[in-house]
Amino acid sequence: MRMKITILPQGTLAIYEQIVNQLKSAIVTEELKAGEALPSIRSLAADLGVSVITTKRAYEELEKEGLIRSVAGKGFYVCEYNTDYLKEKQLMMLEKRLGEIICEAKQAGLGCDEFIEMAETLYQAD
């Protein structure tokens, strides 16, 4: 696996969710291709400095969604998938989170122009 997973300990998402989201993103962008092997649960846990339980939960979540499959004695592999469907699910999740952030911005007294300016600054800083 060539991709890099970044864990933000102070992030709002649980660590396993951060792993799931980044692996989903890698599948949508075809950074991870169908049939490609993923690192073992133990190996990924060691690389990320998280518990085996956390990586196991992330893999179970991805397997439940049909994105990866377990092959007994061999490990986990990326499944054939419908990228359009997966991308649509990601957009829906993003819209929901963005809606929550916009609501918080309004409660903080931020105007639309100020919010857009903040978003553009943060987007370009990455």
Side-chain angles (χ1 to χ4, degrees):
M1 186 173 102
R2 298 174 303 283
M3 72 165 292
K4 173 91 175 100
I5 295 177
T6 305
I7 301 298
L8 302 174
Q10 72 281 14
T12 55
L13 292 177
I15 292 172
Y16 88 92
E17 291 175 307
Q18 294 179 49
I19 296 168
V20 167
N21 289 343
Q22 291 177 60
L23 287 173
K24 279 184 184 179
S25 178
I27 291 169
V28 168
T29 61
E30 295 186 357
E31 192 176 339
L32 288 174
K33 308 228 182 290
E36 190 169 341
L38 296 175
S40 72
I41 289 172
R42 288 186 193 286
S43 169
L44 183 59
D47 288 349
L48 298 177
V50 300
S51 79
V52 170
I53 294 168
T54 300
T55 54
K56 184 176 188 295
R57 183 170 180 191
Y59 277 15
E60 286 172 347
E61 185 71 29
L62 291 165
E63 193 170 23
K64 208 183 310 175
E65 291 187 35
L67 297 174
I68 65 173
R69 71 187 189 301
S70 172
V71 177
K74 299 222 182 230
F76 289 87
Y77 294 85
V78 178
C79 292
E80 293 289 332
Y81 46 82
N82 181 338
T83 50
D84 290 340
Y85 173 72
L86 187 56
K87 189 156 184 81
E88 186 62 29
K89 277 183 70 174
Q90 273 192 319
L91 288 174
M92 287 173 56
M93 187 175 72
L94 185 58
E95 285 174 3
K96 180 179 183 272
R97 289 182 22 221
L98 191 53
E100 292 167 358
I101 291 169
I102 288 171
C103 186
E104 287 180 36
K106 286 178 179 178
Q107 289 172 350
L110 214 57
C112 184
D113 290 340
E114 294 170 302
F115 178 79
I116 290 171
E117 184 180 334
M118 180 189 288
E120 284 177 343
T121 301
L122 292 170
Y123 192 89
Q124 292 167 358
D126 194 20

